[in-house]
Amino acid sequence: MHNDESSLVTRAQKGDGRALATLLTRYENPLYASALAIVGSSWDALDVLQETMLEACGKITALRDARKLRAWLTTILLRKCYDRLRDQKKYELRDEFPDTPAHLPVAEERD
């Protein structure tokens, strides 16, 4: 890690929005590529990237070691990707449920 990046992290943690934007822009493309490889959809990858960036903005002060910025961002991204995949799987499972649950009686038609 360069001293420049460490300095940017310190400034971002003190509220410097430009420093934070610079840091996030540096990692935007590699994070997007990772998200795309995991979720498989460019739209979902963009959503996950945006969620990652928003969380990073809100929690930059929690980063204790500026040298671990990339790993920290990647960890956030991976968690967001897996959340997205888990949510999609739940949705797909719900789509496979029968219209009428087996334990409920079906009303008979009347003539």
Side-chain angles (χ1 to χ4, degrees), residues 27-53 76-78 80-82 84-85 88:
Y27 291 104
E28 183 176 11
N29 288 334
L31 289 172
Y32 172 77
S34 295
L36 183 58
I38 295 168
V39 298
S41 155
S42 60
W43 291 108
D44 287 336
L46 286 170
D47 283 346
V48 167
L49 177 63
Q50 182 177 15
E51 292 169 12
T52 299
M53 297 302 190
I76 295 171
L77 179 85
L78 291 174
K80 299 289 183 188
C81 285
Y82 296 137
R84 176 64 53 108
L85 292 173
Q88 286 174 348

Short mmCIF file of all heavy atoms in Angstrom, two decimals, residues 27-53 76-78 80-82 84-85 88:
data_model
loop_
_atom_site.label_atom_id
_atom_site.label_comp_id
_atom_site.label_asym_id
_atom_site.label_seq_id
_atom_site.Cartn_x
_atom_site.Cartn_y
_atom_site.Cartn_z
N TYR A 27 -11.09 1.37 -6.37
CA TYR A 27 -11.45 -0.04 -6.25
C TYR A 27 -12.76 -0.40 -6.95
O TYR A 27 -13.17 -1.56 -6.95
CB TYR A 27 -11.53 -0.43 -4.77
CG TYR A 27 -10.16 -0.43 -4.13
CD1 TYR A 27 -9.77 0.60 -3.29
CD2 TYR A 27 -9.25 -1.44 -4.42
CE1 TYR A 27 -8.50 0.61 -2.73
CE2 TYR A 27 -7.99 -1.44 -3.87
CZ TYR A 27 -7.62 -0.41 -3.03
OH TYR A 27 -6.37 -0.40 -2.48
N GLU A 28 -13.38 0.56 -7.58
CA GLU A 28 -14.68 0.34 -8.22
C GLU A 28 -14.64 -0.77 -9.27
O GLU A 28 -15.46 -1.69 -9.25
CB GLU A 28 -15.16 1.65 -8.85
CG GLU A 28 -16.51 1.57 -9.48
CD GLU A 28 -16.98 2.91 -10.01
OE1 GLU A 28 -16.16 3.86 -10.09
OE2 GLU A 28 -18.15 2.99 -10.36
N ASN A 29 -13.69 -0.71 -10.20
CA ASN A 29 -13.64 -1.70 -11.27
C ASN A 29 -13.31 -3.11 -10.78
O ASN A 29 -13.99 -4.07 -11.17
CB ASN A 29 -12.69 -1.26 -12.38
CG ASN A 29 -13.26 -0.11 -13.18
OD1 ASN A 29 -14.46 0.07 -13.28
ND2 ASN A 29 -12.38 0.68 -13.77
N PRO A 30 -12.29 -3.30 -9.96
CA PRO A 30 -12.03 -4.67 -9.49
C PRO A 30 -13.17 -5.23 -8.63
O PRO A 30 -13.48 -6.42 -8.70
CB PRO A 30 -10.73 -4.57 -8.70
CG PRO A 30 -10.41 -3.14 -8.56
CD PRO A 30 -11.24 -2.37 -9.53
N LEU A 31 -13.81 -4.38 -7.85
CA LEU A 31 -14.94 -4.85 -7.05
C LEU A 31 -16.11 -5.23 -7.94
O LEU A 31 -16.76 -6.25 -7.72
CB LEU A 31 -15.36 -3.78 -6.03
CG LEU A 31 -14.40 -3.53 -4.87
CD1 LEU A 31 -14.83 -2.32 -4.06
CD2 LEU A 31 -14.28 -4.76 -3.99
N TYR A 32 -16.37 -4.43 -8.96
CA TYR A 32 -17.44 -4.75 -9.90
C TYR A 32 -17.16 -6.09 -10.59
O TYR A 32 -18.05 -6.94 -10.72
CB TYR A 32 -17.62 -3.65 -10.94
CG TYR A 32 -18.59 -4.04 -12.04
CD1 TYR A 32 -19.96 -4.02 -11.81
CD2 TYR A 32 -18.12 -4.47 -13.27
CE1 TYR A 32 -20.86 -4.41 -12.80
CE2 TYR A 32 -19.01 -4.86 -14.27
CZ TYR A 32 -20.37 -4.82 -14.03
OH TYR A 32 -21.24 -5.22 -15.01
N ALA A 33 -15.93 -6.29 -11.03
CA ALA A 33 -15.56 -7.54 -11.71
C ALA A 33 -15.78 -8.74 -10.78
O ALA A 33 -16.29 -9.78 -11.21
CB ALA A 33 -14.11 -7.49 -12.18
N SER A 34 -15.44 -8.60 -9.53
CA SER A 34 -15.65 -9.68 -8.56
C SER A 34 -17.13 -9.95 -8.37
O SER A 34 -17.57 -11.10 -8.36
CB SER A 34 -15.01 -9.33 -7.21
OG SER A 34 -13.62 -9.24 -7.33
N ALA A 35 -17.90 -8.88 -8.23
CA ALA A 35 -19.35 -9.03 -8.04
C ALA A 35 -19.98 -9.70 -9.25
O ALA A 35 -20.81 -10.61 -9.10
CB ALA A 35 -20.00 -7.67 -7.78
N LEU A 36 -19.59 -9.28 -10.43
CA LEU A 36 -20.13 -9.86 -11.66
C LEU A 36 -19.81 -11.36 -11.75
O LEU A 36 -20.67 -12.17 -12.13
CB LEU A 36 -19.60 -9.13 -12.88
CG LEU A 36 -20.13 -9.58 -14.25
CD1 LEU A 36 -21.65 -9.47 -14.30
CD2 LEU A 36 -19.48 -8.76 -15.35
N ALA A 37 -18.61 -11.73 -11.38
CA ALA A 37 -18.21 -13.13 -11.41
C ALA A 37 -19.04 -13.97 -10.43
O ALA A 37 -19.33 -15.14 -10.69
CB ALA A 37 -16.73 -13.27 -11.09
N ILE A 38 -19.46 -13.36 -9.34
CA ILE A 38 -20.20 -14.11 -8.32
C ILE A 38 -21.69 -14.14 -8.61
O ILE A 38 -22.32 -15.20 -8.59
CB ILE A 38 -19.94 -13.53 -6.91
CG1 ILE A 38 -18.47 -13.72 -6.54
CG2 ILE A 38 -20.85 -14.16 -5.88
CD1 ILE A 38 -18.03 -12.94 -5.33
N VAL A 39 -22.29 -12.98 -8.89
CA VAL A 39 -23.75 -12.93 -9.06
C VAL A 39 -24.20 -13.20 -10.48
O VAL A 39 -25.34 -13.55 -10.72
CB VAL A 39 -24.36 -11.61 -8.53
CG1 VAL A 39 -24.11 -11.46 -7.05
CG2 VAL A 39 -23.85 -10.41 -9.29
N GLY A 40 -23.31 -13.01 -11.45
CA GLY A 40 -23.59 -13.39 -12.82
C GLY A 40 -24.42 -12.43 -13.64
O GLY A 40 -24.62 -12.64 -14.82
N SER A 41 -24.90 -11.38 -13.06
CA SER A 41 -25.73 -10.41 -13.78
C SER A 41 -25.13 -9.02 -13.59
O SER A 41 -24.80 -8.63 -12.47
CB SER A 41 -27.16 -10.43 -13.20
OG SER A 41 -27.83 -9.21 -13.42
N SER A 42 -25.03 -8.28 -14.68
CA SER A 42 -24.44 -6.94 -14.57
C SER A 42 -25.29 -6.03 -13.70
O SER A 42 -24.77 -5.21 -12.95
CB SER A 42 -24.22 -6.33 -15.95
OG SER A 42 -25.43 -6.20 -16.64
N TRP A 43 -26.61 -6.17 -13.78
CA TRP A 43 -27.49 -5.34 -12.95
C TRP A 43 -27.32 -5.66 -11.48
O TRP A 43 -27.22 -4.76 -10.63
CB TRP A 43 -28.96 -5.52 -13.36
CG TRP A 43 -29.26 -4.95 -14.70
CD1 TRP A 43 -29.51 -5.64 -15.84
CD2 TRP A 43 -29.29 -3.56 -15.06
NE1 TRP A 43 -29.71 -4.76 -16.89
CE2 TRP A 43 -29.58 -3.49 -16.44
CE3 TRP A 43 -29.10 -2.37 -14.36
CZ2 TRP A 43 -29.70 -2.28 -17.11
CZ3 TRP A 43 -29.22 -1.17 -15.04
CH2 TRP A 43 -29.51 -1.13 -16.39
N ASP A 44 -27.29 -6.94 -11.15
CA ASP A 44 -27.09 -7.34 -9.76
C ASP A 44 -25.70 -6.93 -9.28
O ASP A 44 -25.54 -6.51 -8.13
CB ASP A 44 -27.28 -8.85 -9.59
CG ASP A 44 -28.75 -9.26 -9.67
OD1 ASP A 44 -29.63 -8.42 -9.40
OD2 ASP A 44 -29.01 -10.43 -10.00
N ALA A 45 -24.71 -7.06 -10.14
CA ALA A 45 -23.35 -6.67 -9.76
C ALA A 45 -23.28 -5.17 -9.45
O ALA A 45 -22.64 -4.76 -8.49
CB ALA A 45 -22.36 -7.02 -10.87
N LEU A 46 -23.97 -4.37 -10.26
CA LEU A 46 -24.01 -2.92 -10.00
C LEU A 46 -24.72 -2.62 -8.69
O LEU A 46 -24.29 -1.76 -7.92
CB LEU A 46 -24.68 -2.19 -11.15
CG LEU A 46 -23.85 -2.06 -12.43
CD1 LEU A 46 -24.72 -1.53 -13.57
CD2 LEU A 46 -22.64 -1.18 -12.21
N ASP A 47 -25.82 -3.32 -8.42
CA ASP A 47 -26.54 -3.12 -7.16
C ASP A 47 -25.66 -3.48 -5.97
O ASP A 47 -25.59 -2.73 -4.99
CB ASP A 47 -27.80 -3.98 -7.12
CG ASP A 47 -28.94 -3.40 -7.94
OD1 ASP A 47 -28.87 -2.22 -8.34
OD2 ASP A 47 -29.91 -4.14 -8.18
N VAL A 48 -24.99 -4.62 -6.07
CA VAL A 48 -24.13 -5.08 -4.98
C VAL A 48 -22.97 -4.09 -4.78
O VAL A 48 -22.60 -3.77 -3.65
CB VAL A 48 -23.62 -6.51 -5.28
CG1 VAL A 48 -22.48 -6.89 -4.36
CG2 VAL A 48 -24.75 -7.51 -5.17
N LEU A 49 -22.42 -3.61 -5.87
CA LEU A 49 -21.33 -2.63 -5.78
C LEU A 49 -21.81 -1.36 -5.08
O LEU A 49 -21.14 -0.83 -4.20
CB LEU A 49 -20.78 -2.30 -7.17
CG LEU A 49 -19.69 -1.24 -7.22
CD1 LEU A 49 -18.44 -1.71 -6.46
CD2 LEU A 49 -19.34 -0.93 -8.66
N GLN A 50 -22.99 -0.89 -5.46
CA GLN A 50 -23.53 0.32 -4.84
C GLN A 50 -23.77 0.10 -3.34
O GLN A 50 -23.43 0.96 -2.52
CB GLN A 50 -24.83 0.73 -5.52
CG GLN A 50 -25.41 2.01 -4.95
CD GLN A 50 -26.66 2.45 -5.68
OE1 GLN A 50 -27.27 1.70 -6.42
NE2 GLN A 50 -27.05 3.68 -5.45
N GLU A 51 -24.33 -1.04 -2.99
CA GLU A 51 -24.55 -1.35 -1.58
C GLU A 51 -23.23 -1.40 -0.81
O GLU A 51 -23.13 -0.94 0.33
CB GLU A 51 -25.30 -2.68 -1.44
CG GLU A 51 -26.72 -2.64 -1.94
CD GLU A 51 -27.35 -4.02 -2.05
OE1 GLU A 51 -26.77 -5.00 -1.52
OE2 GLU A 51 -28.42 -4.13 -2.66
N THR A 52 -22.21 -1.95 -1.45
CA THR A 52 -20.88 -2.04 -0.84
C THR A 52 -20.32 -0.64 -0.60
O THR A 52 -19.80 -0.34 0.48
CB THR A 52 -19.93 -2.85 -1.74
OG1 THR A 52 -20.44 -4.18 -1.87
CG2 THR A 52 -18.52 -2.89 -1.17
N MET A 53 -20.41 0.20 -1.60
CA MET A 53 -19.89 1.56 -1.49
C MET A 53 -20.63 2.35 -0.41
O MET A 53 -20.02 3.09 0.36
CB MET A 53 -19.97 2.29 -2.83
CG MET A 53 -19.13 1.67 -3.92
SD MET A 53 -17.39 1.58 -3.47
CE MET A 53 -16.66 1.11 -5.01
N ILE A 76 -16.83 -6.77 2.52
CA ILE A 76 -18.18 -6.18 2.44
C ILE A 76 -18.86 -6.65 1.16
O ILE A 76 -20.02 -7.08 1.16
CB ILE A 76 -18.12 -4.64 2.50
CG1 ILE A 76 -17.59 -4.18 3.86
CG2 ILE A 76 -19.50 -4.04 2.21
CD1 ILE A 76 -17.29 -2.69 3.92
N LEU A 77 -18.14 -6.57 0.04
CA LEU A 77 -18.69 -6.95 -1.26
C LEU A 77 -19.12 -8.42 -1.26
O LEU A 77 -20.22 -8.75 -1.72
CB LEU A 77 -17.67 -6.71 -2.37
CG LEU A 77 -18.16 -7.11 -3.76
CD1 LEU A 77 -18.94 -5.97 -4.38
CD2 LEU A 77 -17.01 -7.51 -4.64
N LEU A 78 -18.28 -9.29 -0.76
CA LEU A 78 -18.61 -10.72 -0.75
C LEU A 78 -19.86 -10.99 0.07
O LEU A 78 -20.73 -11.77 -0.34
CB LEU A 78 -17.43 -11.54 -0.22
CG LEU A 78 -16.20 -11.60 -1.11
CD1 LEU A 78 -15.06 -12.31 -0.41
CD2 LEU A 78 -16.53 -12.28 -2.44
N LYS A 80 -22.30 -8.92 0.60
CA LYS A 80 -23.44 -8.41 -0.17
C LYS A 80 -23.79 -9.35 -1.32
O LYS A 80 -24.96 -9.58 -1.61
CB LYS A 80 -23.14 -7.01 -0.72
CG LYS A 80 -22.86 -5.95 0.33
CD LYS A 80 -24.09 -5.58 1.07
CE LYS A 80 -23.81 -4.47 2.07
NZ LYS A 80 -24.96 -4.23 2.92
N CYS A 81 -22.79 -9.91 -1.98
CA CYS A 81 -23.03 -10.86 -3.07
C CYS A 81 -23.75 -12.10 -2.55
O CYS A 81 -24.73 -12.56 -3.16
CB CYS A 81 -21.72 -11.28 -3.72
SG CYS A 81 -20.97 -10.04 -4.79
N TYR A 82 -23.27 -12.64 -1.45
CA TYR A 82 -23.88 -13.85 -0.91
C TYR A 82 -25.29 -13.57 -0.41
O TYR A 82 -26.18 -14.42 -0.55
CB TYR A 82 -23.00 -14.49 0.15
CG TYR A 82 -21.68 -14.97 -0.41
CD1 TYR A 82 -20.49 -14.77 0.24
CD2 TYR A 82 -21.64 -15.62 -1.65
CE1 TYR A 82 -19.29 -15.20 -0.30
CE2 TYR A 82 -20.44 -16.04 -2.21
CZ TYR A 82 -19.27 -15.84 -1.52
OH TYR A 82 -18.09 -16.26 -2.07
N ARG A 84 -27.28 -11.41 -1.77
CA ARG A 84 -28.07 -11.32 -3.01
C ARG A 84 -28.40 -12.72 -3.53
O ARG A 84 -29.53 -13.00 -3.91
CB ARG A 84 -27.29 -10.52 -4.06
CG ARG A 84 -27.92 -10.41 -5.43
CD ARG A 84 -29.24 -9.67 -5.41
NE ARG A 84 -29.13 -8.37 -4.79
CZ ARG A 84 -29.18 -7.21 -5.42
NH1 ARG A 84 -29.34 -7.18 -6.72
NH2 ARG A 84 -29.10 -6.08 -4.76
N LEU A 85 -27.41 -13.60 -3.56
CA LEU A 85 -27.64 -14.96 -4.03
C LEU A 85 -28.63 -15.71 -3.14
O LEU A 85 -29.50 -16.44 -3.62
CB LEU A 85 -26.32 -15.72 -4.13
CG LEU A 85 -25.35 -15.23 -5.21
CD1 LEU A 85 -24.03 -15.96 -5.08
CD2 LEU A 85 -25.95 -15.42 -6.60
N GLN A 88 -32.08 -14.43 -3.87
CA GLN A 88 -32.56 -14.95 -5.15
C GLN A 88 -32.99 -16.41 -5.01
O GLN A 88 -34.00 -16.81 -5.58
CB GLN A 88 -31.47 -14.84 -6.22
CG GLN A 88 -31.24 -13.44 -6.70
CD GLN A 88 -30.06 -13.36 -7.66
OE1 GLN A 88 -29.27 -14.29 -7.80
NE2 GLN A 88 -29.93 -12.22 -8.31
#
